[in-house]
Amino acid sequence: MDSLKRVNWATVRTAVAFFLLGLCNNYGYVIMLSAAEDILSTQHGKNKTVAVDTCEPSITIRECKPPVAEVLVSDNLPSLLVKLTFPFFMDRFPFGLRVAVVCLLQATSYFVVAFSVSIPMSLAGVVFVSLGGGLGEITFLGLSAHYQRIAIAGWSSGTGMAGLLGSFSYAFLTEPHMANLTPKVALLIQLFIPVLFAFAYFILLKKPESVYSPTMNPKSWIVPKGYDNFVVSKHRVPQRELSPWERVQLIVPMLHLMIPLAFVYVGEYMINQGMTQQIVFDCAHGFNLSLHSQYRWYQVLYQFGVFVSRSSIKLVELPMWMLYLLPFLQLSNMLFFFFDALYWFVPHIGIIFALIIFEGLFGGSSYVNTFHRIHNKVAPDVREYCLSAASMGDSIGVNFAAGVSIPLHYWMCRQPSPR
């Protein structure tokens, strides 16, 4: 009983709320990337009412499907544009209004993709989830400045769980040996996420006085100028009024953290959306998984690694030299996957599964340690802006990888089969 009395339940509530916010915010990204092959195959005339995928007894030629990097571009480019522009003015809009917009965009995306009749319509739905995810990430990283450091730990762990839960749930729902549902039904089932999102912010999360709360009156939907200067919370000092040029200048001291993070994400998404489509195994060497299933389980295991590493900050905080080493480890991993996609020299899918887990561990560790350091090191009166602005680092890496992955995919398709 004494131990229960010592528990700070307000801190636990904050951690759980940020965990759920991170989970819900990134869930849509993951679902769209996990469904990437199905989204494109459906619109290329391969619509399936019931999953009939079976493993291939032998593979002698390359199967050149539409590159999933097309979905990656739609899933991340709008998010990058949000992260590059919104930090310069979004502080005038209250957090509650931003969260409502994010929930609406996320729900819209599931409906649009589920009922899509063309590739442009599908990609438009992916754009909605990207806009919502980008706005959500910069919003909640900024919001964490109002709370203890546990908020960053909860947020990072939640984003990792989003990957694991999202990729696994989609694989489970569509896998022929499991639920065997159509992609359309699988996507519509995910509509509980925007509801959970709204619950986590509007009901579960206790907002300090420093968080401006609007009313139903539209006139209150703009944060009053100077509000930040006279409201102080326990964990946050008033934020400084920043000019556009000051905002740009504040990014420069963070580049030594943002650039390594960007390179880690280049390697990460070059593997996920540029190479794994070309790494395929027959029944005997692929656990009897179909080619579609292999891609889905690649995503699940990658997200497992991300979740474990993003949840580790309270146990292991990486030294600075390790943050500089992670890009080299990830890019080395990428080179290995590149040559295997080209020459198919790995004998069994189990080896690829193990390497993909390490890929997720590298990426998740880089993300959580980068934002943990920013939260700790930047001046308290600019912390909210810095946490929001730094999120463009990983987005730049992801979008660069997406842009390179599309021509790389078509180039690989023209290469002779190694078997």
Side-chain angles (χ1 to χ4, degrees):
M1 291 298 293
D2 290 340
S3 61
L4 286 176
K5 289 179 182 178
R6 287 195 296 268
V7 172
N8 187 332
W9 290 109
T11 300
V12 172
R13 182 175 175 177
T14 297
V16 172
F18 270 91
F19 176 86
L20 291 176
L21 291 170
L23 188 156
C24 295
N25 190 73
N26 279 35
Y27 194 89
Y29 281 131
V30 177
I31 286 294
M32 294 306 170
L33 292 180
S34 297
E37 279 201 334
D38 291 332
I39 290 171
L40 295 173
S41 295
T42 295
Q43 306 307 336
H44 276 274
K46 302 178 184 178
N47 198 358
K48 62 177 185 178
T49 55
V50 178
V52 294
D53 288 347
T54 57
C55 67
E56 297 287 341
S58 65
I59 300 175
T60 56
I61 60 172
R62 294 186 185 276
E63 182 182 352
C64 284
K65 297 169 282 189
V68 292
E70 292 178 1
V71 176
L72 181 63
V73 171
S74 299
D75 204 24
N76 282 276
L77 184 57
S79 174
L80 174 61
L81 295 177
V82 168
K83 292 177 181 181
L84 287 173
T85 56
F86 277 46
F88 287 88
F89 60 84
M90 73 173 187
D91 55 314
R92 295 305 312 278
F93 297 95
F95 287 106
L97 180 61
R98 290 184 244 165
V99 174
V101 171
V102 171
C103 292
L104 181 61
L105 287 169
Q106 195 171 83
T108 301
S109 72
Y110 291 131
F111 274 113
V112 171
V113 175
F115 291 101
S116 172
V117 294
S118 66
I119 287 182
M121 185 175 175
S122 294
L123 295 181
V126 177
V127 167
F128 283 128
V129 84
S130 177
L131 291 170
L135 177 59
E137 184 171 3
I138 60 177
T139 293
F140 295 118
L141 285 171
L143 181 63
S144 69
H146 296 256
Y147 297 88
Q148 297 166 282
R149 286 190 298 246
I150 192 67
I152 286 288
W155 164 266
S156 298
S157 182
T159 57
M161 177 56 80
L164 182 60
L165 182 62
S167 58
F168 178 80
S169 68
Y170 187 80
F172 176 84
L173 291 171
T174 56
E175 177 64 38
H177 305 297
M178 296 181 183
N180 197 27
L181 299 176
T182 63
K184 175 181 178 179
V185 174
L187 287 170
L188 291 176
I189 288 173
Q190 315 301 331
L191 283 168
F192 75 94
I193 289 293
V195 178
L196 181 61
F197 209 156
F199 166 80
Y201 179 80
F202 291 106
I203 298 176
L204 182 61
L205 183 65
K206 184 175 176 59
K207 270 75 72 178
E209 290 184 0
S210 56
V211 173
Y212 175 75
S213 297
T215 65
M216 296 302 293
N217 185 350
K219 293 181 178 180
S220 71
W221 294 356
I222 300 295
V223 179
K225 198 168 182 64
Y227 177 85
D228 206 272
N229 294 328
F230 56 82
V231 179
V232 182
S233 73
K234 182 179 178 181
H235 304 293
R236 175 183 178 271
V237 301
Q239 298 295 282
R240 203 177 348 137
E241 287 284 339
L242 298 170
S243 68
W245 178 239
E246 286 176 318
R247 291 174 189 260
V248 173
Q249 288 179 310
L250 283 170
I251 294 174
V252 176
M254 298 190 292
L255 290 177
H256 75 288
L257 293 168
M258 294 168 61
I259 291 174
L261 179 64
F263 276 104
V264 168
Y265 272 71
V266 168
E268 199 166 316
Y269 281 86
M270 286 286 289
I271 293 170
N272 290 348
Q273 270 64 50
M275 297 164 194
T276 52
Q277 264 190 303
Q278 295 292 333
I279 300 177
V280 292
F281 295 87
D282 57 27
C283 297
H285 303 93
F287 294 131
N288 291 314
L289 294 171
S290 70
L291 301 188
H292 276 297
S293 295
Q294 288 174 31
Y295 176 81
R296 295 187 198 112
W297 288 106
Y298 288 154
Q299 300 300 312
V300 172
L301 292 170
Y302 156 71
Q303 298 293 353
F304 171 75
V306 171
F307 170 65
V308 170
S309 55
R310 288 195 180 190
S311 303
S312 66
I313 192 64
K314 285 298 180 182
L315 300 174
V316 181
E317 184 176 344
L318 298 182
M320 196 63 227
W321 65 266
M322 193 65 187
L323 291 183
Y324 294 145
L325 179 61
L326 284 174
F328 294 98
L329 294 175
Q330 194 72 292
L331 292 173
S332 299
N333 209 18
M334 182 196 74
L335 288 175
F336 181 91
F337 277 87
F338 171 77
F339 285 111
D340 185 58
L342 208 54
Y343 299 114
W344 293 353
F345 59 82
V346 173
H348 196 277
I349 197 173
I351 298 172
I352 295 297
F353 280 173
L355 290 173
I356 283 179
I357 291 174
F358 274 102
E359 174 209 346
L361 289 172
F362 296 154
S365 297
S366 181
Y367 180 95
V368 67
N369 281 274
T370 294
F371 285 101
H372 183 73
R373 283 188 173 273
I374 291 172
H375 192 284
N376 289 345
K377 301 298 183 183
V378 300
D381 61 347
V382 293
R383 184 178 291 150
E384 183 177 323
Y385 165 75
C386 288
L387 286 166
S388 298
S391 66
M392 73 178 72
D394 57 293
S395 288
I396 290 172
V398 172
N399 281 279
F400 178 84
V404 174
S405 293
I406 294 174
L408 177 65
H409 173 87
Y410 287 116
W411 177 81
M412 280 190 174
C413 283
R414 295 194 296 270
Q415 303 311 303
S417 172
R419 293 175 189 163

